[in-house]
Amino acid sequence: MPARPTVYIMTNRPRGTLYVGVTGNLVRRVWEHRSHAMPGFTDRYNLEHLVWFEAHDRPGTAIQREKSLKRWRRQWKIELVEAHNPAWRDLWAQIAGP
C-alpha cells in the first residue's frame, strides 16, 4: 500500500479501547503500534488491531478528519467501525501485503 495521508482506528478487542490517529505511512505506523516501538497510549493499552482506516489525497484533509473523529462520541466511532468492519477483523494483513 503506497504511503498516503490516512486516518485510522486501533483497538485491543471488539468494542474495546479505541485510538484515532493520522499518519502519512499507514503500514509503518501500524507496525509501530503492533510492535510497541514507541511508548504511549497505544502501548499502555495494547492497541494492536487496525479496525478502520480512510485514505485522503491531502494531509490537511486527513488531519481535519482525525480532529473531527476525536471529537465524536465513543458510540459513533463504534458505529463507524461496525459499518465497514462488523466483525472487528484486524486489517493488518490487508495493508501489509504478502
Side-chain angles (χ1 to χ4, degrees), residues 1-52:
M1 168 174 274
R4 288 182 64 192
T6 304
V7 184
Y8 64 96
I9 298 177
M10 301 289 296
T11 191
N12 52 358
R13 60 186 166 82
R15 294 179 165 243
T17 303
L18 301 175
Y19 173 80
V20 176
V22 65
T23 183
N25 187 326
L26 185 62
V27 173
R28 185 197 79 240
R29 188 67 181 119
V30 172
W31 177 86
E32 290 171 350
H33 290 305
R34 293 173 68 87
S35 65
H36 302 268
M38 298 169 59
F41 184 83
T42 58
D43 177 50
R44 183 170 44 253
Y45 291 98
N46 202 32
L47 307 182
E48 298 179 351
H49 305 288
L50 174 68
V51 292
W52 177 87

Side-chain angles (χ1 to χ4, degrees), residues 25-89:
N25 187 326
L26 185 62
V27 173
R28 185 197 79 240
R29 188 67 181 119
V30 172
W31 177 86
E32 290 171 350
H33 290 305
R34 293 173 68 87
S35 65
H36 302 268
M38 298 169 59
F41 184 83
T42 58
D43 177 50
R44 183 170 44 253
Y45 291 98
N46 202 32
L47 307 182
E48 298 179 351
H49 305 288
L50 174 68
V51 292
W52 177 87
F53 64 92
E54 179 180 271
H56 292 265
D57 292 327
R58 297 188 346 247
T61 307
I63 292 167
Q64 188 156 3
R65 176 69 162 158
E66 178 213 22
K67 288 180 179 183
S68 173
L69 289 176
K70 286 187 178 224
R71 288 190 304 266
W72 280 22
R73 295 176 184 264
R74 175 181 165 74
Q75 184 58 38
W76 298 350
K77 294 173 197 172
I78 289 171
E79 291 169 5
L80 176 66
V81 171
E82 291 181 345
H84 299 277
N85 185 2
W88 289 78
R89 290 179 303 106

